[in-house]
Amino acid sequence: MTKEFAATTPNTPLDVAIIGAGFAGMYMLHRLRRAGFAVRVVELGPDVGGTWYWNRYPGARCDVESLQYSYSFDEGIQQDWTWTERFATQPEILRYANFVADRLDLRRDIQFGVRITSGRFDTTANQWVLETDSGTAIHARQVITAVGCLSTANVPQIAGMESFEGQTIHTSDWPRDGVNLSGKRVAIIGTGSTAIQAIPEIARQAGHLTVFQRTPNFSVPARNAPLTPETVDWWKKNYPDLRKKARETMRSGTIYDLPTRPAIGTDPADVRAELEARWQKGGANFAYAFSDLIFDETANAMAAEFVRDKIRSIVHDPETAEALCPKDYPIFCKRICVDSDYFATFNRPNVSLVNLRQTPLERITSKGVQTTDQEHEFDVIIYATGFDAITGSLLRLNLTGTQGRTLKEKWADGPKAYLGLATSEFPNLFMITGPGSPSVLSNVLVSIEQHVEFLSDLMEHIRSHGITRIETTAKDEEDWAHHVTEVAHTTLYPKAASWYMGANIPGKPRVFMPYIGVDAYRKKCAEVAAQGYVGFQMNGADAVAHASAG
Ligand code: NA7
């Protein structure tokens, strides 16, 4: 039964409206409610879970180990939930989200099935007015977006798409009742992490699976396995230290076996032995084999060649193997994929690869996919074409700031946000895992907790000082954006045309969006808070003067 929510009005606004009920929105709600704020979450979907609610494609899993991809803020939750596999499946993660929502009784303050269609900041009342598709506006003093970084699908514009007479599915909007692929002729377009997880599973179900690949990806084996009770117990017992280590000392917010030496200067045989050991161990730990892999092109090339050799040794058909080998960008500069049997799947008789570099995709027909050399006929076409990452879901909110510009207009040349948390002209608006924060280059649960805790402290600060309007400055966000770019350019990341750069969306500005370094970022935020939230200008009853970070 849908709960009725009290109307908000300019005279009875919420203290805080949160947009999104994924892991970020859930924890933000819990923190603010506990601190006594009048708060409500508005969520488009019918239940909690965010990306894990929607991404139900076969094989969907988290590529961060489950014992680390979970909340740490509540010892009871941490101890009472038990993960079953090294890398959790989507259904298990969604069960976890529901477990937390039940335990903290979150749903009573979540309005489900409502889309924010637009929003504007009322400069007289110093509050946001969010318009919804239900026709009822939501008034709130502060708005916090928790819309996720990978939640607006990239549906490519391919001629003839609407003419296909079979079933069309995007992996991020997989039908909740599942899809019977048994015996069917199935196409999958895309070979990013999603497809790399889905392809082995779909190949087991489909009559025939044809993979349309434009750019091959680097992938390492997950070596997924059930967790033993001993492993789980050890983690639970040591959680306080382990969580602290992940938060404060790891670039990614995930505990990996950190490198002890650079690849350059190490005997090549030792380099290969170390890479082999990590390949056998499985997971993204592979990326941390040497300290210079992400900084030095020669070192990086050694790891890339190691993976290409693995592909060549796994895939029987030499032409297919070569087509699956990424060659034109450094390894680790697009998200490293973590798979279960991906490359071996191409040895199956019911799987074929179409190399779109050789025979480009021309259009979708009523029967299937037309490439430059032939028409391929299908019953189902699956688009595993990714997301309008990091900014897509923020821009879709259609928010207008104090200068009459929408966020999309303001960010026409790329997003600029102070600490990835706030942007000038948009007072009283904060973003969890926004552009310029570690977001997708981190264990996102760790980043979410850090943002939520920073923002709840900030909300308490402004409440106690009677602040009614808080806004960052153009200079502070400019300086931060410059710093984000500067840090990125100390690495090889910008050398790949990745979705970190916006390169997967035609017309999207090419700006490196995530901040590299969970540990450094956390320190910076703590300093900002300790200095009275330097970089934010605040006005209100106390008229507290806050200096600019510049
Ligand atoms: P990705 O990593 O963006 O992958 C999308 C794939 O779709 C990629 O192989 C693209 O090829 C391909 N693509 C996109 N548009 C087209 C068109 N028009 N024609 C052919 N192929 C196309 O998205 P994922 O969902 O796999 O992963 C995103 C993240 O979600 C992942 O890292 C996890 O963190 C969760 P391209 O490389 O552009 O040539």
Side-chain angles (χ1 to χ4, degrees):
M1 204 176 68
T2 316
K3 186 188 155 183
E4 289 291 319
F5 282 88
T8 57
T9 68
N11 293 326
T12 57
L14 297 167
D15 292 328
V16 187
I18 299 166
I19 306 174
F23 284 124
M26 289 167 62
Y27 182 34
M28 194 75 246
L29 168 62
H30 174 65
R31 277 299 280 233
L32 291 177
R33 207 169 60 178
R34 206 177 61 181
F37 289 97
V39 56
R40 186 189 303 174
V41 178
V42 185
E43 164 60 49
L44 175 61
D47 210 339
V48 297
T51 199
W52 298 109
Y53 179 86
W54 300 105
N55 282 269
R56 297 167 184 247
Y57 58 85
R61 277 179 200 277
C62 187
D63 56 11
V64 175
E65 297 192 15
S66 49
L67 286 159
Q68 302 200 51
Y69 190 82
S70 52
Y71 289 126
S72 69
F73 68 85
D74 184 304
E75 186 57 13
I77 289 175
Q78 187 162 266
Q79 293 299 330
D80 293 348
W81 178 265
T82 297
W83 297 102
T84 64
E85 291 179 75
R86 179 177 177 189
F87 294 99
T89 60
Q90 174 272 334
E92 189 170 29
I93 300 170
L94 192 57
R95 279 199 298 281
Y96 173 71
N98 279 279
F99 167 78
V100 175
D102 291 343
R103 177 96 164 214
L104 302 175
D105 190 18
L106 296 177
R107 288 191 185 80
R108 70 184 153 90
D109 289 310
I110 305 177
Q111 199 170 353
F112 291 106
V114 177
R115 180 191 284 282
I116 304 295
T117 53
S118 66
R120 65 185 169 81
F121 187 70
D122 175 346
T123 48
T124 314
N126 280 334
Q127 54 181 250
W128 280 93
V129 187
L130 301 174
E131 302 295 340
T132 70
D133 62 354
S134 71
T136 314
I138 292 172
H139 301 258
R141 294 192 174 92
Q142 306 285 336
V143 170
I144 297 178
T145 66
V147 292
C149 294
L150 298 159
S151 45
T152 292
N154 170 33
V155 181
Q157 298 306 304
I158 304 175
M161 275 172 86
E162 62 302 328
S163 68
F164 181 58
E165 287 169 0
Q167 188 174 8
T168 298
I169 308 169
H170 194 284
T171 45
S172 69
D173 193 15
W174 198 263
R176 265 184 277 167
D177 297 333
V179 183
N180 181 6
L181 297 172
S182 166
K184 300 217 169 120
R185 298 166 304 169
V186 180
I188 187 161
I189 297 178
T191 49
S193 349
T194 296
I196 283 177
Q197 290 184 338
I199 283 165
E201 289 297 325
I202 294 173
R204 288 185 195 109
Q205 299 170 21
H208 192 94
L209 173 65
T210 306
V211 178
F212 289 88
Q213 172 190 272
R214 194 162 63 182
T215 313
N217 255 295
F218 290 101
S219 187
V220 296
R223 313 262 182 233
N224 185 44
L227 286 167
T228 63
E230 293 73 35
T231 303
V232 172
D233 286 352
W234 185 84
W235 273 80
K236 285 189 176 179
K237 217 173 282 154
N238 291 290
Y239 257 142
D241 289 345
L242 293 166
R243 299 292 201 183
K244 188 171 158 52
K245 184 174 176 189
R247 281 186 211 120
E248 294 176 10
T249 64
M250 295 285 147
R251 189 177 69 204
S252 67
T254 309
I255 299 170
Y256 290 114
D257 303 325
L258 291 187
T260 53
R261 56 193 167 157
I264 300 294
T266 300
D267 185 314
D270 289 345
V271 171
R272 290 188 76 81
E274 179 68 31
L275 292 170
E276 180 65 33
R278 288 177 182 249
W279 180 272
Q280 294 308 331
K281 194 170 174 187
N285 208 31
F286 182 82
Y288 296 83
F290 294 95
S291 57
D292 49 357
L293 294 181
I294 199 66
F295 300 104
D296 184 288
E297 289 195 60
T298 310
N300 185 283
M302 289 189 226
E305 192 55 20
F306 178 90
V307 175
R308 283 191 290 265
D309 282 349
K310 285 289 182 190
I311 298 170
R312 291 175 186 123
S313 72
I314 297 167
V315 180
H316 300 161
D317 174 53
E319 198 187 331
T320 305
E322 230 31 59
L324 288 167
C325 285
K327 290 180 187 140
D328 54 7
Y329 61 94
I331 187 171
F332 311 126
C333 295
K334 291 185 178 194
R335 193 177 176 98
I336 186 79
C337 303
V338 177
D339 73 272
S340 296
D341 302 330
Y342 174 62
F343 294 114
T345 296
F346 290 90
N347 295 331
R348 292 176 65 106
N350 71 332
V351 175
S352 41
L353 179 72
V354 174
N355 181 350
L356 295 177
R357 296 275 182 223
Q358 276 172 4
T359 55
L361 202 164
E362 285 191 328
R363 65 197 150 84
I364 305 294
T365 66
S366 61
K367 293 199 173 64
V369 178
Q370 177 73 51
T371 57
T372 45
D373 71 335
Q374 72 171 98
E375 184 181 26
H376 304 258
E377 296 189 4
F378 298 109
D379 304 307
V380 183
I381 298 179
I382 297 167
Y383 291 91
T385 45
F387 300 90
D388 184 351
I390 303 176
T391 51
S393 298
L394 290 167
L395 301 185
R396 208 164 56 155
L397 295 172
N398 202 15
L399 302 179
T400 302
T402 52
Q403 305 304 309
R405 293 200 287 180
T406 61
L407 200 51
K408 189 170 186 174
E409 287 163 346
K410 191 194 158 191
W411 284 355
D413 297 329
K416 289 198 177 104
Y418 178 51
L419 303 173
L421 278 165
T423 192
S424 66
E425 298 178 26
F426 291 78
N428 299 12
L429 175 74
F430 297 93
M431 295 167 277
I432 300 177
T433 64
S437 75
S439 64
V440 293
L441 278 182
S442 68
N443 176 345
V444 81
L445 263 289
V446 171
S447 287
I448 283 170
E449 287 192 336
Q450 186 268 338
H451 268 183
V452 166
E453 287 156 20
F454 180 91
L455 288 174
S456 58
D457 289 350
L458 179 56
M459 292 296 124
E460 292 195 49
H461 176 87
I462 62 178
R463 179 174 61 187
S464 63
H465 289 82
I467 307 285
T468 52
R469 180 171 160 152
I470 168 168
E471 182 178 349
T472 190
T473 71
K475 176 165 180 1
D476 288 306
E477 70 194 15
E478 185 71 44
D479 289 351
W480 183 255
H482 180 73
H483 177 58
V484 173
T485 306
E486 212 172 46
V487 173
H489 279 85
T490 63
T491 72
L492 300 173
Y493 274 107
K495 292 196 180 288
S498 67
W499 52 260
Y500 300 143
M501 302 277 298
N504 64 329
I505 305 290
K508 191 165 172 173
R510 298 287 190 267
V511 171
F512 195 83
M513 293 181 281
Y515 182 72
I516 302 170
V518 167
D519 43 356
Y521 179 82
R522 173 179 293 271
K523 274 193 206 110
K524 171 71 184 174
C525 286
E527 278 165 29
V528 165
Q531 292 165 30
Y533 297 100
V534 67
F536 291 101
Q537 292 187 332
M538 308 196 198
N539 305 96
D542 292 1
V544 183
H546 282 77
S548 155

